Amino acid sequence: MADDQLNEQESKEFYAMADTFIDVANGHCDKKETNHVGSAMLFATARFSSFVVASQSPDKDAYEAEIENATEFFSNEFKRMLTQNLEDYKTAFKAQEDEARYEHLMKKD
């Protein structure tokens, strides 16, 4: 969903809901590597997105006719949101005292 489609209250609710999913993922990161958790979250998003399309289709033919459009829509939205978040995270790497905010998470060779 594009940010410009949300009013201020809806936007707050949208981000608060997203934060609940992130909180669950962060909890899993205590037991599993972040890449594993991220892959599981990506799979869950794909599965739920498929459910959304199926649940809005009146029958199998309508569902099958919507698959290509849904794939394009969700792919474009993911790319847009990922790009926005990658840009936002650039600020996390500005030096804060002696160490960048996420430096402790970076793999050292």
Side-chain angles (χ1 to χ4, degrees):
M1 178 178 301
D3 293 338
D4 60 354
Q5 294 176 329
L6 302 173
N7 66 38
E8 186 176 344
Q9 180 62 32
E10 290 172 328
S11 183
K12 287 179 184 179
E13 291 170 357
F14 177 85
Y15 287 109
M17 187 186 315
D19 285 344
T20 65
F21 299 128
I22 293 168
D23 288 343
V24 170
N26 286 337
H28 287 296
C29 288
D30 293 338
K31 300 173 191 118
K32 295 286 184 181
E33 291 188 23
T34 56
N35 288 345
H36 185 81
V37 175
S39 292
M41 210 169 160
L42 191 58
F43 178 80
T45 300
R47 180 175 274 185
F48 191 80
S49 297
S50 298
F51 162 75
V52 168
V53 175
S55 69
Q56 294 178 355
S57 299
D59 56 41
K60 184 179 178 187
D61 289 339
Y63 171 75
E64 288 178 345
E66 188 59 27
I67 288 175
E68 188 174 333
N69 289 336
T71 301
E72 184 175 344
F73 171 78
F74 287 114
S75 297
N76 290 339
E77 282 297 286
F78 181 80
K79 183 177 181 179
R80 182 186 65 78
M81 291 176 185
L82 178 62
T83 300
Q84 178 184 351
N85 280 280
L86 288 170
E87 286 297 315
D88 291 348
Y89 265 82
K90 284 181 181 179
T91 62
F93 290 97
K94 290 183 180 175
Q96 296 179 0
E97 298 180 20
D98 294 331
E99 184 177 281
R101 183 172 174 193
Y102 295 109
E103 190 170 334
H104 66 286
L105 299 175
M106 293 180 214
K107 294 189 179 206
K108 308 280 191 228
D109 290 331

